[in-house]
């Protein structure tokens, strides 16, 4: 079943159920076009926010795991060095998590 809200090309007429024809005035067409544009723009903005949040999240995860592996490598089994380096990695992870949470709004 197709929508009959938007007239087909050819004089602004649109078939209706039962074979009738409905015409939209120019102001009605402008209002519908504006409403459609608002919804399209809202969808594009929402999709862009989601993509940005995903990119920030993926980068934060990648960087955190990379830093964790580097800290383990540099500590070379020394518990005191490992604790110091892990504190730095945890601080980075806290900051990265804060950035990811900013995308909620």
């Amino acid at each position: 079943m197709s929508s009959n809200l938007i007239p087909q090309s050819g004089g602004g007429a649109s078939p209706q159920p039962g074979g009738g024809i409905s015409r939209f005035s120019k102001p009605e067409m402008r209002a519908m076009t504006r409403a459609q544009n608002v919804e399209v723009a809202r969808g594009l903005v929402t999709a862009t926010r989601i993509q940005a949040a995903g990119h920030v999240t993926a980068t934060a995860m990648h960087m955190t795991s990379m830093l964790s592996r580097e800290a383990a490598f540099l500590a070379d089994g020394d518990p005191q060095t490992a604790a110091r380096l892990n504190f730095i990695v945890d601080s980075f992870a806290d900051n990265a998590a804060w950035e990811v949470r900013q995308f909620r709004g």
Side-chain angles (χ1 to χ4, degrees), residues 64-76 85-86 89:
T64 301
S65 65
M66 181 189 69
L67 292 169
S68 294
R69 285 191 304 271
E70 187 66 13
F73 172 75
L74 292 173
D76 195 29
L85 295 173
N86 285 333
V89 173

Side-chain angles (χ1 to χ4, degrees), residues 41-51:
R42 191 170 63 93
L44 289 170
V45 168
T46 299
T48 301
R49 275 193 200 121
I50 289 169
Q51 287 176 331

Side-chain angles (χ1 to χ4, degrees), residues 1-2 6-7 9 12 16 22 57 60 66 81 87 89-91 94 96 99:
M1 180 171 160
S2 65
I6 301 173
S9 61
Q16 297 293 312
S22 172
T57 302
M66 181 189 69
T81 302
F87 175 77
V89 173
D90 290 344
S91 295
D94 286 341
E99 291 293 343

Side-chain angles (χ1 to χ4, degrees), residues 14-81:
S14 173
Q16 297 293 312
I21 296 213
S22 172
R23 295 189 182 274
F24 296 111
S25 67
K26 286 184 182 181
E28 289 171 329
M29 288 299 296
R30 282 192 295 270
M32 284 191 291
T33 300
R34 267 193 304 276
Q36 287 174 334
N37 288 343
V38 166
E39 291 303 315
V40 168
R42 191 170 63 93
L44 289 170
V45 168
T46 299
T48 301
R49 275 193 200 121
I50 289 169
Q51 287 176 331
H55 181 72
V56 169
T57 302
T59 300
M61 290 170 44
H62 174 76
M63 295 296 295
T64 301
S65 65
M66 181 189 69
L67 292 169
S68 294
R69 285 191 304 271
E70 187 66 13
F73 172 75
L74 292 173
D76 195 29
D78 179 11
Q80 189 174 9
T81 302

